[in-house]
């Protein structure tokens, strides 16, 4: 029995001794000397001589004066031989973009993971690192620096004939290689007298190489202009100053100015003439005919009043009044005059 126990201990001993290892390594790419605005990658390799049952847990990283993008789902398989033993694992990337010229210190990062056959959660630390960011030549202190391996700037605008009140859109597309979209600055826009500008919200995105790896960034700016007066206008040229990290020199990419012609709006001419319609309806002569009618009416009233005062005999006036009313009604019909109260017309004898 004792021999059997000793045999089991001898067989299980190597298994107990084969506790998997967890190792982490970190390095800065392209190095520890960069320029402001240039992206530096902190590559963290998480390795084991066993296998991983789940993704490693990496701590957050914050650096004052720099924008840090934490590792995302994008990772890379790596293999390495350390002290004669084969390790495999994953490579994670922190993307760091310094915004000021200064020295940056990256503290030790604690990474946790549980490889296969591990009895508990394992942890390991990276070595502390540091890098120096300097202001590139041609840029003033505090000036925004755009760093890229390559840059493209294009524009598009409608060229249809314009008049006062019309709108048109100028679209600027900026693309940069090896630079995230959030690092791309907005283009300069000068005010043009006679045109009112309405900037739209930019569309910012990252470009990839078709395999899920970020290869650059893109920014699309649209400016809508409204024509407020007629004349000749010139949208100014747009220039983008950037640092070429591939050739290590200052570059300026430019799109030319755009000439715009706008004419005055055409005066509105109605399809039908209102004055002609009024004339055909007799509205033009109604006022003149009404004045004649009033004159005849006033004369008739004065005549009746004179007869009454002269003779004082109403029975003689009553037949004259009736004949006068009939004559007046006949005259109004000939002059196309409507009664002021048609419903009371029957009250006249």
């Amino acid at each position: 029995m004792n021999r059997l126990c000793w045999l089991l201990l001898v067989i299980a001993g190597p298994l107990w001794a084969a506790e998997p290892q967890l190792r982490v390594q970190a390095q800065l790419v392209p190095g520890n000397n960069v320029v402001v605005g240039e992206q530096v990658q902190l590559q963290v390799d998480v390795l084991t001589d066993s296998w991983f049952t789940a993704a490693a847990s990496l701590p957050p990283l914050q650096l004052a004066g720099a924008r840090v993008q934490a590792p995302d789902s994008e990772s890379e398989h790596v293999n390495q031989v350390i002290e004669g033993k084969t390790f495999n694992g994953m490579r994670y990337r922190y993307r760091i973009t310094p915004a000021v010229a200064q020295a940056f210190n990256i503290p030790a990062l604690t990474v946790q993971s549980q490889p296969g056959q591990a009895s508990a959660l394992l942890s390991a630390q990276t070595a502390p690192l540091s890098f120096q960011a300097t202001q590139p030549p041609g840029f003033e202190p505090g000036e925004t620096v755009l760093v890229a391996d390559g840059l493209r700037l294009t524009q598009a605008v409608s060229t249809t004939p314009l008049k006062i009140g019309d709108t048109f859109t100028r679209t600027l597309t900026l693309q940069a290689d090896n630079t995230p979209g959030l690092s791309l600055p907005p283009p300069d826009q000068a005010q043009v007298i006679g045109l009112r500008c309405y900037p739209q919200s930019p569309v910012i995105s990252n470009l990839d190489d078709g395999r899920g790896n970020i290869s650059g960034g893109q920014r699309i700016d649209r400016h809508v202009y409204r024509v407020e007066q007629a004349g000749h206008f010139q949208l100014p040229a747009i220039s983008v100053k950037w640092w070429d990290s591939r050739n290590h020199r200052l570059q300026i990419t430019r799109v030319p100015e755009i000439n715009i012609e706008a004419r005055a709006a055409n005066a509105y001419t109605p399809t039908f003439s209102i004055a002609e319609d009024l004339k055909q309806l007799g509205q033009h002569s109604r006022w003149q005919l009404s004045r004649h009618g009033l004159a005849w009416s006033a004369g008739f009233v004065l005549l009746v009043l004179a007869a009454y005062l002269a003779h004082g005999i109403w029975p003689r006036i009553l037949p004259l009044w009736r004949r006068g009313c009939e004559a007046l009604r006949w005259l109004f019909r000939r002059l196309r005059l409507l009664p002021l109260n048609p419903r009371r017309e029957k009250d006249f004898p």
Side-chain angles (χ1 to χ4, degrees), residues 74-157:
E74 175 189 344
S75 57
E76 179 184 348
H77 288 276
V78 292
N79 294 284
Q80 190 174 350
V81 178
I82 303 175
E83 299 175 355
K85 184 179 291 187
T86 301
F87 286 80
N88 62 84
M90 304 297 294
R91 174 171 293 170
Y92 302 91
R93 295 180 176 87
Y94 292 86
R95 291 179 170 85
I96 305 172
T97 306
V100 294
Q102 66 178 34
F104 293 89
N105 296 316
I106 302 175
L109 303 178
T110 301
V111 180
Q112 293 182 335
S113 182
Q114 185 167 1
Q117 296 182 341
S119 58
L121 188 67
L122 304 180
S123 63
Q125 280 190 339
T126 63
L129 298 173
S130 63
F131 68 94
Q132 178 71 39
T134 58
Q135 192 78 3
F139 291 88
E140 299 295 332
E143 184 180 359
T144 302
V145 181
L146 173 59
V147 180
D149 290 349
L151 189 135
R152 296 165 298 279
L153 178 63
T154 59
Q155 69 175 344
V157 64

Side-chain angles (χ1 to χ4, degrees), residues 27 38 67 255 284:
Q27 62 176 339
E38 182 179 6
R67 184 176 64 253
V255 291
H284 180 70

Side-chain angles (χ1 to χ4, degrees), residues 7-24:
L7 180 60
L8 292 175
L9 290 174
V10 170
I11 296 175
L15 296 177
W16 291 341
E19 183 76 13
Q21 301 181 42
L22 178 67
R23 295 196 179 189
V24 292

